[in-house]
């Protein structure tokens, strides 16, 4: 079928509060522009946004030739409880906010006339999520049309049979019997295999041998294109030649070679853009994780977008696509538990249809921290979903992330949700003048981890009852997903010799331990740290932060600060540590705790450090500086302005701490092997007293309608970062629109759609969409006084 972009010219109307109607293009997130308030029923889980219901309307012409065609609308994602109306008649309802779905338009169309498409997205039913969801049509919309002879949507399925011979299998569905022509094109567009087939049935299966096949893997993500022609209908699907296998002897293998997943969990939002799944933003997210040493992502805790899968395919990033955060036990009052029992088979079918041809998808996860897995009905449901997925796609393993300690705690009644408990807790909190509700489910566990620390939670997972409350569910999946259970790995490998173990959610500080275990034991197939990139919501008890960056009003809590990459896309020192711990870089790298700070940021279990990769702390001469050196070498030495200020045996976890007096200049870390031979070095230079605000686009040019991610950074005249600069910035744009503006501080006043932001350690991020009228001009005014400008060339303007 023919695919047409259906993203432009929508009108959005708020149904739950007074707000002007607006013309928008989708993807569009209505929540990101909402007020943030202490009255939010979703509270810090959704970043204190208030939530609301929205109506999207689009007028389109249905030509007369559509009478003889099949016409569908595809929504890649609408949050949530989406109602679709065509010319006032209800055409579809889809409750889950993260699955793509299709609506047949044929029964409702007025041919030769203008038609009205209306979509109602409801998100006033708060609380319904543990993280920021966004609201509305936040992923693309596509129109699909096909004549009498056509290939239905998702009608071409490709899988690798033998990577050695380059043999692939293709299954094709047709609208009617007929002749088809199948071609395979290499990355340069050259035809490398072709076959004409006379199909007497509407489904056909065939094998192809690709000569001198180029394999797909994380280091060489080679993509082919399959082109299928049926009458006038032409469908193209990209694919990679790769096989997967999993067994206790070899662990997880791709194309016959063992793969250890160096993974990160990600939520679906794109920081200052909210939930909008712009292709450039999704690709940027994948690229940033790839640059920081990760080779796998876990789509936590919902099916990911098509755009991010395309990016994973191109860039060589593996994906574990996840279904849901709750099954039959609520975590919030209006979450998806209400609908899941009636929709799970359709949801999983749509997820597999989306994922099937993508070589990057290497596993499915049926859920996250679903405490039902401690009960007989949940254990049965675990197996039922695993078998259902095997029936849809037996080429990928199935897992589920189980919080081992919480399974036990929930089995004795701790942290379990009920409407009655929620009402009583709310009433009690109101009487005390405190709005906060009692935490349940995963939120209960997260807050317990904040209070008690990661070691307490990992120790809890080793208790015998935790084994009892997880073993039967683990037996009903291909790969056992351990959330925060790393201290069980070695014991469980002895006790369950056939079990494959995946750290489906882990603490950053366990990277070194995980990697050492995984190298020795193939049955530990990988690790997904929480989290890769920071995200809106799930603020918990407040992110760890220093002094005046930590605002006192709860409604300023925007993020949990849990990412190794901050919400603007800048790597934190924790990411540098992870690169060394996972042996993706030798190091050394240097992190320095802010020398100007003397207060305690109150690190949580998910935080390793608040260190910065900087030695620019003007005004701090002589103060004690805590310096972290990340290296797996035998010894590391610190040199300050050419003289040695400390030499130590490297700490076994690859993070060695020094205390030295701050002195501006050059700080160097040198690593040595056991024989004393230098193996690497890293240098940080102090910035001069000069100050500049720089406007730094990540890409040199921008396309019409495309996005430019623009970093606003304070430096000296040599470009050295000045993290102590804190200013209020106001951004204006010519020949484009400002889509998002913010900084990496977990505490943020207002929202990301305003034109002002504070800086955080001297930086902020603006995201701009070019309108095509000319080069994009960006002006930034600091503290209401000085204005700095820069121009981003438009690609088409100079072609």
């Amino acid at each position: 079928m023919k695919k047409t972009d259906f993203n432009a010219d929508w009108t959005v109307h708020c149904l739950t509060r007074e707000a002007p109607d607006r013309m928008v293009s989708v993807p569009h997130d209505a929540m990101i522009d909402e007020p943030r308030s202490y009255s939010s029923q979703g509270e810090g889980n959704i970043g204190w946004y208030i939530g609301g219901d929205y109506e999207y309307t689009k007028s389109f012409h249905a030509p007369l030739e559509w009478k003889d065609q099949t016409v569908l609308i595809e929504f890649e994602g609408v949050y949530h409880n989406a109602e679709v109306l065509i010319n006032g008649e209800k055409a579809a309802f889809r409750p889950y906010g993260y699955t793509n779905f299709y609506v047949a338009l044929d029964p409702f169309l007025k041919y030769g006339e203008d038609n009205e498409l209306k979509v109602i997205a409801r998100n006033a039913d708060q609380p319904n999520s543990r993280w920021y969801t966004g609201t509305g049509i936040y992923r693309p919309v596509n129109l699909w049309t096909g004549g009498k002879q056509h290939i239905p949507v998702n009608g071409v399925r490709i899988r690798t049979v033998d990577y050695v011979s380059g043999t692939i299998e293709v299954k094709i569905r047709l609208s009617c019997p007929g002749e088809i022509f199948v071609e395979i094109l290499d990355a340069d567009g050259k035809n490398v295999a072709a076959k004409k087939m006379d199909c007497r049935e509407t489904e056909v299966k065939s094998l192809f041998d690709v000569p001198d096949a180029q394999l797909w893997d994380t280091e060489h993500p080679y993509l082919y294109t399959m082109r299928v022609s049926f009458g006038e209908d032409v469908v193209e699907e990209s694919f990679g030649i790769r096989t997967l296998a999993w067994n206790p002897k070899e662990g997880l293998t791709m194309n016959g070679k063992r793969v250890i997943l160096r993974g990160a969990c990600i939520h679906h939002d794109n920081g200052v853009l909210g939930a909008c799944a712009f292709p450039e933003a999704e690709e940027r997210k994948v690229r940033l994780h790839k640059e920081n040493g990760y080779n796998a992502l876990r789509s936590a805790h919902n099916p990911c977008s098509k755009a991010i899968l395309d990016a994973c395919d191109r860039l060589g990033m593996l994906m574990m696509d996840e279904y849901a955060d709750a099954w039959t036990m609520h975590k919030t009052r209006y979450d998806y538990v209400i609908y899941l029992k009636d929709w799970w088979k359709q949801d999983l079918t749509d997820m597999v249809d989306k994922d099937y041809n993508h070589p990057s998808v290497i596993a499915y996860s049926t859920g996250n921290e679903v405490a039902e897995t401690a009960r007989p009905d949940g254990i049965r449901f675990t197996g039922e979903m695993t078998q259902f997925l095997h029936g849809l796609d037996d080429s990928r393993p199935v897992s589920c992330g189980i919080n081992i300690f919480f399974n036990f705690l929930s089995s004795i009644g701790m942290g379990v949700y009920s409407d009655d408990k929620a009402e009583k807790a709310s009433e009690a909190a109101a009487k005390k003048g405190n709005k906060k509700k009692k935490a349940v489910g995963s939120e209960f566990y997260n807050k317990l981890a904040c209070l008690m620390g990661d070691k307490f939670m990992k120790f809890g997972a080793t208790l015998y009852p935790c084994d009892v409350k997880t073993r039967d569910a683990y037996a009903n999946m291909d790969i056992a997903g351990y959330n925060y259970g790393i201290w069980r790995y070695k014991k469980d490998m002895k006790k369950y010799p056939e079990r494959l173990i995946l750290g489906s959610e882990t603490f950053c500080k366990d990277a070194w331990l995980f990697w050492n275990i995984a190298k020795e034991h193939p049955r530990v197939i990988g690790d997904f740290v929480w989290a890769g990139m920071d995200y809106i919501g799930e603020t918990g008890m407040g992110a760890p932060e220093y002094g005046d960056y930590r605002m006192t009003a709860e409604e300023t809590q925007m993020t949990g600060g849990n990412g190794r990459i901050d919400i603007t896309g800048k790597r934190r020192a924790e990411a540098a540590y992870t690169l060394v711990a996972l042996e993706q870089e030798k190091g050394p790298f240097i992190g320095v705790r802010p020398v100007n700070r003397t207060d305690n940021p109150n690190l949580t279990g998910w935080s390793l450090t608040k260190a910065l990769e900087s030695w620019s702390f003007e005004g701090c001469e002589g103060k004690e500086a805590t310096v972290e050196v990340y290296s797996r070498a035998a010894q590391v030495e610190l040199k300050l302005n050419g003289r040695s200020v400390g030499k130590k045996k490297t700490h076994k976890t690859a993070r060695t701490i020094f205390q030295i007096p701050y002195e501006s200049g050059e700080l160097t870390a040198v690593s040595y092997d056991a024989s004393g031979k230098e193996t690497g070095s890293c240098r940080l230079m102090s910035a001069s007293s000069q100050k500049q605000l720089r406007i730094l686009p990540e890409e040199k040019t921008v396309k019409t309608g495309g996005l430019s991610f623009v970093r606003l950074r304070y430096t000296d005249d040599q470009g050295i970062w000045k993290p102590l600069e804190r200013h209020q910035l106001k951004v204006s744009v010519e020949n484009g629109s400002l889509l998002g503006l913010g900084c990496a501080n977990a505490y943020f006043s207002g929202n990301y759609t305003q034109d002002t932001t504070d800086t955080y350690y001297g930086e902020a991020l603006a995201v701009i969409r070019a309108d095509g009228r000319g080069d994009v001009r960006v002006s930034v005014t600091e503290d209401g006084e000085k204005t700095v400008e820069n121009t981003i060339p438009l690609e088409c303007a100079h072609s």
Side-chain angles (χ1 to χ4, degrees), residues 564-582:
R564 313 287 75 79
I565 302 166
D566 74 29
I567 204 162
T568 71
K570 181 183 177 68
R571 94 170 182 186
R572 291 182 166 132
E574 294 172 329
Y577 166 76
T578 303
L579 281 167
V580 170
L582 300 182

Side-chain angles (χ1 to χ4, degrees), residues 185-203:
L185 312 176
D186 66 14
D188 297 320
K190 180 183 176 182
N191 188 314
V192 295
K195 187 182 296 186
K196 187 178 287 186
M197 291 183 281
D198 187 13
C199 306
R200 299 182 181 181
E201 305 290 337
T202 56
E203 292 189 15

Side-chain angles (χ1 to χ4, degrees), residues 21-154:
D21 292 356
R22 288 184 295 162
M23 288 292 296
V24 300
S25 296
V26 298
H28 177 259
D29 177 7
M31 181 179 267
I32 198 67
D33 197 33
E34 289 177 348
R36 298 171 63 229
S37 168
Y38 192 65
S39 65
S40 166
Q41 294 300 303
E43 300 182 349
N45 282 340
I46 59 171
W48 297 97
Y49 285 89
I50 60 173
D53 297 342
Y54 294 85
E55 181 180 83
Y56 290 78
T57 306
K58 179 182 175 72
S59 178
F60 65 98
H61 186 74
L64 291 173
E65 56 263 32
W66 281 8
K67 275 189 175 182
D68 300 317
Q69 296 186 5
T70 299
V71 185
L72 304 174
I73 287 282
E74 178 190 11
F75 296 94
E76 293 189 21
V78 181
Y79 198 89
H80 70 158
N81 292 342
E83 300 173 47
V84 181
L85 297 93
I86 312 295
N87 296 320
E89 293 187 65
K90 186 172 180 178
F93 170 71
R94 193 62 181 265
Y96 199 27
Y98 300 105
T99 47
N100 60 305
F101 63 98
Y102 302 87
V103 181
L105 300 189
D106 315 62
F108 309 99
L109 290 176
K110 298 175 182 177
Y111 300 105
E113 302 179 31
D114 286 343
N115 291 252
E116 182 188 70
L117 171 61
K118 186 173 289 186
V119 179
I120 300 173
R122 302 197 180 277
N123 202 12
D125 56 342
Q126 296 293 335
N128 63 52
S129 177
R130 296 189 302 107
W131 59 87
Y132 179 87
T133 59
T135 306
I137 309 176
Y138 68 97
R139 289 177 182 168
V141 180
N142 306 301
L143 174 73
W144 294 89
T145 54
K148 181 180 178 181
Q149 285 188 324
H150 70 263
I151 300 164
V153 174
N154 302 315

Side-chain angles (χ1 to χ4, degrees), residues 382-401:
T382 303
E384 194 174 353
M385 281 197 286
T386 297
Q387 292 308 311
F388 186 76
L389 282 167
H390 285 167
L392 297 172
D393 178 6
D394 62 3
S395 69
R396 295 173 170 98
V398 178
S399 184
C400 179

Side-chain angles (χ1 to χ4, degrees), residues 405-450:
F405 191 25
F406 180 60
N407 258 35
F408 165 58
L409 296 178
S410 68
S411 72
I412 59 174
M414 295 181 66
V416 179
Y417 177 92
S418 75
D419 288 346
D420 183 55
K421 283 183 182 178
E423 289 293 340
K424 288 179 179 178
S426 294
E427 291 171 7
K431 288 178 182 178
K432 294 178 181 178
N434 176 16
K435 182 179 177 293
K436 293 290 285 182
K437 302 177 181 69
K438 188 176 181 180
V440 297
S442 297
E443 187 182 0
F444 164 79
Y445 177 89
N446 293 345
K447 290 192 173 181
L448 193 60
C450 287

Side-chain angles (χ1 to χ4, degrees), residues 36-38 43-44 47-48 433-437 447 539-542 551-559 746-748:
R36 298 171 63 229
S37 168
Y38 192 65
E43 300 182 349
W48 297 97
N434 176 16
K435 182 179 177 293
K436 293 290 285 182
K437 302 177 181 69
K447 290 192 173 181
T539 61
M541 301 181 70
M551 303 177 194
T552 55
E554 278 193 285
E555 62 268 28
T556 63
Q557 296 175 8
M558 179 71 91
T559 85
Y747 300 81
F748 194 85

Side-chain angles (χ1 to χ4, degrees), residues 723-735:
L724 298 191
E725 295 295 334
R726 187 171 182 182
H727 301 274
Q728 187 77 12
L729 306 181
K730 183 179 176 66
V731 178
S732 60
V733 179
E734 292 181 31
N735 299 328

